[in-house]
Amino acid sequence: VGTVVIGKGASFLDVGAASMFLLSDDGLQLEQLVSVGWNAEVSEEFRITPLTPGRPVSDSIISGSPVWLPSADDWMARYPQAGAIHTEGGYSAAAVIPLMLDRRAIGGLTLSFPGTRTFTEDERSYLMALGAQCAQALERARLYEAEQAARRLAERQRDQLSFLAEASFVLDSMLDGHGRLQRLAELAVPRIADWCAIDLLEDGEIQHVAVIHSDPAKLSLAMDLRARYPADPSARQGVSEVLRTGTSQLLPVITDEMIVQGARDPE
């Protein structure tokens, strides 16, 4: 959205640089969505900024009104610190437009010009209309993303329910116990995991009863490793700990340190 507005709409007025900011959900800071015409150092400096009075884009958003700065002198008179950065960047005039949606500002658009500019009534009306269209486009993009996220969540929930239903069917089937667990592992991969292994505590020992991998080439390796390195009953992680405590373990990331700690020999 920002790229289109800056690249197309602002080009009619020979804009030299432009930045678009979006107000955070808590209303405390601004996130820079697009920056054109500024060097990387300046863009990075204003990537995230607090919404505090005394800055052109902040004042525009807080008041809900545009800030017109026709020349470098106007910059230095109202915003000396920002004006110095603006002038050093090779720009003089600027128009700062609040992005209004339902009478509230959701962000701001700063357009900079290399020379002085009077900002005629027609130009001001055009820039205000540009800001309004930009706000509407950002809102449509937000609603679309929210809709897509809700759809993805619904699909995940549907897949989970479908998996649970199929898993229940497998566990109630006429297969023998180990056969049912192998079929359950095959059902889990790749729908909810890349690989799955099932262990049972039988006669006081941990027995591997099922293993499946999404990559067939790695299945034999997985089976070989599990055969060569049986679970350590005293281990504080993994199957042994889960069997001992009856509490699930969820590990979002397997670190290199965890792999080293679990190694039994150099190989």
Side-chain angles (χ1 to χ4, degrees), residues 218-242:
K218 294 182 179 179
L219 178 58
S220 60
L221 173 62
M223 297 178 68
D224 179 56
L225 288 174
R226 294 179 69 79
R228 292 169 57 192
Y229 302 101
D232 178 3
S234 63
R236 308 306 298 180
Q237 289 281 355
V239 174
S240 299
E241 180 72 1
V242 170

Side-chain angles (χ1 to χ4, degrees), residues 40-177:
E41 183 178 351
V42 173
S43 295
E44 180 60 26
E45 181 179 352
F46 293 97
R47 186 176 64 84
I48 300 290
T49 57
L51 182 72
T52 54
R55 299 179 179 180
V57 68
S58 293
D59 286 351
S60 177
I61 291 172
I62 292 171
S63 67
S65 302
V67 174
W68 308 106
L69 299 166
S71 67
D73 291 340
D74 293 293
W75 267 100
M76 298 307 296
R78 295 183 60 179
Y79 306 103
Q81 183 176 359
I85 297 174
H86 196 259
T87 303
E88 290 174 4
Y91 304 108
S92 181
V96 186
I97 311 297
L99 305 181
M100 304 297 294
L101 187 69
D102 297 331
R103 298 184 180 181
R104 63 181 178 87
I106 63 171
L109 177 63
T110 300
L111 305 171
S112 301
F113 303 84
T116 59
R117 201 173 192 97
T118 57
F119 295 113
T120 66
E121 287 300 319
D122 286 344
E123 289 177 342
R124 295 188 182 205
S125 296
Y126 174 78
L127 291 175
M128 292 297 292
L130 189 65
Q133 290 184 353
C134 183
Q136 291 291 337
L138 287 172
E139 179 65 4
R140 287 194 296 270
R142 185 191 68 80
L143 292 174
Y144 175 78
E145 291 177 358
E147 178 186 357
Q148 293 298 104
R151 181 173 298 176
R152 288 192 295 268
L153 176 60
E155 290 175 349
R156 286 198 301 270
Q157 292 175 336
R158 182 195 62 198
D159 290 343
Q160 290 170 354
L161 290 174
S162 175
F163 171 78
L164 290 175
E166 293 184 48
S168 297
F169 178 79
V170 167
L171 293 175
D172 289 337
S173 68
M174 298 300 291
L175 295 171
D176 64 81

